[in-house]
Amino acid sequence: MTKAIKYPEPKNKRTYGKLCFSDNQWIVEECEPHVSIRLKDVFKKISIVSRPPFKFANTLDFCEDMSWFMQRYPFEISKKDLRLLNSQKRLFEKNIAELERILLPDVEIKNPHINFLRDGCTPRNYQVKTTQILEKVKGTICGDDLGLGKTFTGMTACLNPKNLPCAIVVETHLPQQWVDNFTNFTKLDTHIIKTKKMYNLPKAHIYIFKYSNIAGWTDFFTTGFFKMAIYDEVQNLRTGTNSAKGEAAKILSEYANLNLGMSHTPIFNYASELWHIYNIISPDSLGDFYEFTREWGDGGYSEKVIIKDPKALGTYLRENYLFIKNTRKSVGRELPPVETVVHEIEHDETLVKDHIELAQKLSQTLLTTTDFTEAGKVSRDLDRTARQMTGIAKAKSVANFVKILLDNDEPVILAGWHREVYRIWLEELKHYSPLMFTGSETPKQKEENKKAFLNGESKLLIMSLRSGAGTDGLQEVCKTIVIGEPDWASGVHEQLIGRLHRDGQDDNVMAFFLFSTFGSDPTMREVLGLKASQARGIFNPDGGIVKTTNNQQRLRTLATNILNTNTKNKVEDSSERTLFD
């Protein structure tokens, strides 16, 4: 057998650039042109037209990738910086090995923190695994299927004394539900933050904020009092620091040791919303906004960036444990699929004459104006007007459809959006004593109406499309939901249907989508599902390929449809006069 010849390494290795560590970032100070091209292929956050120096955040995955790159293209680097690079690389490899072990399906992870649990209560294995991953990566999103108990995953993270006190930020109607869960399953003390204005806090383990009041507590967040921050329905942060609540959450996360976002639908519209969320709970994980759009986007830098390869981004988030998703199938808790029925109903245009005229004027303006600011305002006005007139025109037909279900002794959740539509529904369905769970009710009224529905005092609960996120318990008494006024964002529908399609549901869930051939419905019916393609690709990378659209495109389509419908009606009216006069 011939021995392999071992060539001596050259004393002076050729280097292709220079790398150094300064101000907690890595800097490629010099780089040969052809190597610079290769570097940009690997680190796509670098602009294709930029020249050295290139700056990178000091993350473990960067150190791993740069160490690999330097095997092919050695860089000049000091011994001290090389030791740091290699130690970060080894830590990355160690963490990845441990994280992969945790997620193995046959690995049972014992919860080491049981002192705060009530007797007979124990979290599920996959919930403990998620909290173990959180403590290693410091910031992540739990995107488990609806009904798998993300609330209990968050509670499990709170069992570790090192993570206390913890700030939990929830939607307006959910604080009491969180308190009830903590009381029933743990021995942790809770306190609901009552006002936007800071006050002396009582002693507790868990402090529950609302997204509507965290902005008033930013000065307190900078004290580092909270060791962990949990954001329930984290899609509320999708506009990032462009909102007061986003600015406050950014500060809270910065001073906390761990940050956990929870939502099955972290984005509703454009995948660029994802950057805003991660910029709060895991800064630098996706680079700055321009790096993110360069690496993952379609070349635009607006707030409506479309992700060019959602599957690739989804895979990246999972492989770096920035997104953890347990499915019902993966944890052996499958439910029958939701039975979705799209039903076409009648409408009455005579009820919305004024709305139609306004919608036509707005449509004409939108399609002819060249002023960007005016187009934005007209788009918003058209969207609001078209959706409201559509809802009003079909409101009685929606109510008649719901009557059939109620007369068959079927409890129903009826979802809508506009107050005027609710008014018609309440009048048409008054004999069924409908209960309201919308944006107009106080959290206390919502909770009372929810309990009345659960107790069977009424079989009809009218819910706002976006007011039910996170609400639990409805699955115990209801399996039928009627979407009387759909939303442009399919994630909103998923959240709402998920209130019924979850553990505790004994029957097949029926979801009825009621569309008419009038107003915004035809356009919305076409767009729904298309807009969700970004979310599907990112959070379900193994799914099929679907098209997408953007906000301005669908509103222009709506404007064209409204004007075309008007023209068609005029022609039909003219034909009828010719025949009968």
Side-chain angles (χ1 to χ4, degrees):
M1 183 176 177
T2 307
K3 288 186 177 181
I5 301 174
K6 189 174 182 179
Y7 296 98
E9 291 189 11
K11 293 182 179 180
N12 298 313
K13 278 188 177 181
R14 182 189 173 189
T15 58
Y16 295 84
K18 185 175 181 181
L19 177 69
C20 73
F21 183 75
S22 177
D23 294 330
N24 199 36
Q25 61 182 348
W26 291 96
I27 305 172
V28 175
E29 294 181 324
E30 302 170 9
C31 191
E32 293 188 12
H34 72 288
V35 177
S36 180
I37 294 172
R38 293 293 183 91
L39 194 70
K40 291 173 184 177
D41 286 339
V42 176
F43 301 99
K44 295 188 181 296
K45 293 176 183 177
I46 308 174
S47 171
I48 195 170
V49 297
S50 63
R51 296 180 178 180
F54 304 133
K55 298 181 179 180
F56 302 89
N58 181 30
T59 61
L60 297 183
D61 60 323
F62 167 78
C63 294
E64 163 72 12
D65 290 341
M66 179 53 79
S67 179
W68 168 82
F69 187 84
M70 287 171 58
Q71 291 181 27
R72 174 63 181 86
Y73 299 102
F75 278 20
E76 180 184 337
I77 183 173
S78 70
K79 290 183 178 179
K80 178 182 177 182
D81 290 348
L82 182 60
R83 283 196 297 271
L84 175 62
L85 187 74
N86 287 334
S87 67
Q88 294 280 74
K89 170 183 175 290
R90 288 192 294 271
L91 182 58
F92 174 86
E93 292 170 346
K94 180 181 178 181
N95 283 351
I96 290 297
E98 176 60 17
L99 289 167
E100 288 177 348
R101 185 192 72 81
I102 290 172
L103 286 180
L104 289 173
D106 57 344
V107 171
E108 288 286 330
I109 305 292
K110 290 185 178 181
N111 181 20
H113 310 293
I114 60 174
N115 292 337
F116 286 126
L117 280 172
R118 293 203 180 278
D119 293 341
C121 297
T122 181
R124 296 166 183 160
N125 189 43
Y126 63 86
Q127 294 167 337
V128 177
K129 286 185 175 186
T130 297
T131 62
Q132 297 262 316
I133 292 171
L134 169 66
E135 293 183 359
K136 289 189 174 297
V137 300
K138 308 304 181 185
T140 190
I141 292 177
C142 174
D144 290 357
D145 278 355
L146 290 165
L148 284 186
K150 289 184 287 295
T151 297
F152 294 93
T153 298
M155 290 166 56
T156 302
C158 295
L159 298 175
N160 186 346
K162 292 181 179 180
N163 300 338
L164 301 175
C166 173
I168 302 179
V169 189
V170 305
E171 295 193 326
T172 306
H173 59 287
L174 293 179
Q176 191 57 49
Q177 181 173 292
W178 273 85
V179 169
D180 293 343
N181 283 327
F182 269 109
T183 301
N184 292 333
F185 293 93
T186 77
K187 301 173 185 176
L188 295 168
D189 297 321
T190 59
H191 173 73
I192 297 175
I193 302 299
K194 298 177 176 63
T195 65
K196 289 183 180 179
K197 188 176 180 180
M198 289 188 294
Y199 57 87
N200 291 329
L201 294 175
K203 189 175 181 180
H205 300 105
I206 309 296
Y207 296 86
I208 301 175
F209 292 81
K210 303 171 188 173
Y211 283 102
S212 59
N213 67 16
I214 58 172
W217 289 80
T218 51
D219 288 341
F220 185 70
F221 294 156
T222 61
T223 65
F225 176 77
F226 296 113
K227 301 302 182 288
M228 179 168 62
I230 297 177
Y231 301 97
D232 189 25
E233 305 300 343
V234 74
Q235 68 270 13
N236 283 279
L237 300 178
R238 65 188 182 277
T239 58
T241 54
N242 295 322
S243 65
K245 62 187 175 185
E247 288 182 353
K250 177 75 171 173
I251 295 171
L252 171 59
S253 298
E254 182 181 347
Y255 286 89
N257 298 327
L258 302 177
N259 299 304
L260 175 63
M262 300 193 301
S263 179
H264 174 67
T265 52
I267 58 175
F268 278 171
N269 299 301
Y270 300 94
S272 47
E273 295 171 353
L274 208 59
W275 181 86
H276 288 296
I277 295 173
Y278 279 109
N279 186 45
I280 290 173
I281 67 172
S282 183
D284 298 327
S285 59
L286 295 180
D288 65 32
F289 188 72
Y290 295 103
E291 291 172 340
F292 173 76
T293 54
R294 276 200 302 269
E295 184 168 4
W296 301 108
D298 56 359
Y301 297 119
S302 72
E303 287 296 319
K304 298 173 182 176
V305 173
I306 301 296
I307 300 305
K308 59 189 176 186
D309 191 346
K311 288 187 178 182
L313 177 55
T315 301
Y316 174 83
L317 294 175
R318 287 167 182 255
E319 288 185 350
N320 287 275
Y321 301 93
L322 293 168
F323 185 74
I324 304 166
K325 182 179 178 66
N326 292 295
T327 64
R328 288 193 168 277
K329 184 177 181 180
S330 69
V331 301
R333 304 185 71 88
E334 290 186 86
L335 290 173
V338 175
E339 295 183 31
T340 302
V341 178
V342 178
H343 186 69
E344 194 169 288
I345 59 174
E346 296 180 352
H347 63 274
D348 187 351
E349 295 182 32
T350 62
L351 298 175
V352 286
K353 225 173 194 179
D354 293 341
H355 289 79
I356 293 174
E357 292 176 1
L358 176 58
Q360 290 166 355
K361 290 179 181 178
L362 291 170
S363 298
Q364 187 66 50
T365 302
L366 178 62
L367 294 174
T368 56
T369 186
T370 57
D371 184 87
F372 179 80
T373 303
E374 183 184 13
K377 182 180 182 303
V378 172
S379 295
R380 291 189 294 272
D381 290 343
L382 175 61
D383 189 14
R384 182 171 55 251
T385 301
R387 287 184 66 188
Q388 185 172 19
M389 78 174 186
T390 305
I392 294 172
K394 66 178 184 178
K396 289 187 178 180
S397 293
V398 170
N400 288 333
F401 182 90
V402 172
K403 285 178 184 178
I404 296 172
L405 298 172
L406 294 172
D407 288 341
N408 280 277
D409 206 31
E410 187 68 52
V412 174
I413 291 175
L414 173 58
W417 185 247
H418 294 96
R419 294 303 308 174
E420 184 59 24
V421 175
Y422 296 154
R423 187 192 65 76
I424 298 172
W425 288 349
L426 288 171
E427 177 62 28
E428 294 293 315
L429 298 165
K430 61 185 178 183
H431 296 301
Y432 300 91
S433 303
L435 298 166
M436 299 292 287
F437 196 106
T438 70
S440 298
E441 289 73 48
T442 65
K444 182 179 179 182
Q445 289 171 327
K446 287 181 180 179
E447 186 64 23
E448 289 174 349
N449 288 345
K450 171 188 164 182
K451 287 180 178 177
F453 185 66
L454 294 178
N455 292 334
E457 296 173 32
S458 172
K459 290 189 178 294
L460 176 59
L461 182 65
I462 297 176
M463 296 187 75
S464 170
L465 285 164
R466 301 196 179 204
S467 71
T471 304
D472 194 18
L474 299 175
Q475 74 274 17
E476 297 170 9
V477 299
C478 183
K479 62 181 176 65
T480 303
I481 186 166
V482 176
I483 311 292
E485 283 190 285
D487 195 286
W488 287 109
S490 60
V492 172
H493 303 143
E494 287 187 45
Q495 281 284 349
L496 202 54
I497 295 169
R499 300 310 105 205
L500 302 184
H501 191 243
R502 59 202 298 111
D503 282 352
Q505 178 59 257
D506 297 327
D507 299 299
N508 282 29
V509 173
M510 295 285 292
F512 294 94
F513 286 78
L514 304 186
F515 289 98
S516 69
T517 58
F518 173 71
S520 61
D521 267 8
T523 308
M524 188 172 281
R525 185 171 178 175
E526 181 181 349
V527 168
L528 274 174
L530 302 183
K531 202 172 184 183
S533 64
Q534 295 278 286
R536 288 196 194 102
I538 295 170
F539 304 122
N540 297 285
D542 297 329
I545 297 174
V546 282
K547 296 184 294 180
T548 189
T549 185
N550 62 49
N551 187 57
Q552 197 62 26
Q553 177 186 328
R554 55 101 164 159
L555 285 172
R556 286 185 169 273
T557 302
L558 172 60
T560 302
N561 288 347
I562 288 174
L563 290 175
N564 287 344
T565 300
N566 181 47
T567 303
K568 179 182 176 183
N569 289 341
K570 285 183 177 179
V571 171
E572 289 176 350
D573 290 346
S574 174
S575 300
E576 289 176 357
R577 283 194 298 273
T578 303
L579 288 169
F580 294 104
D581 285 350

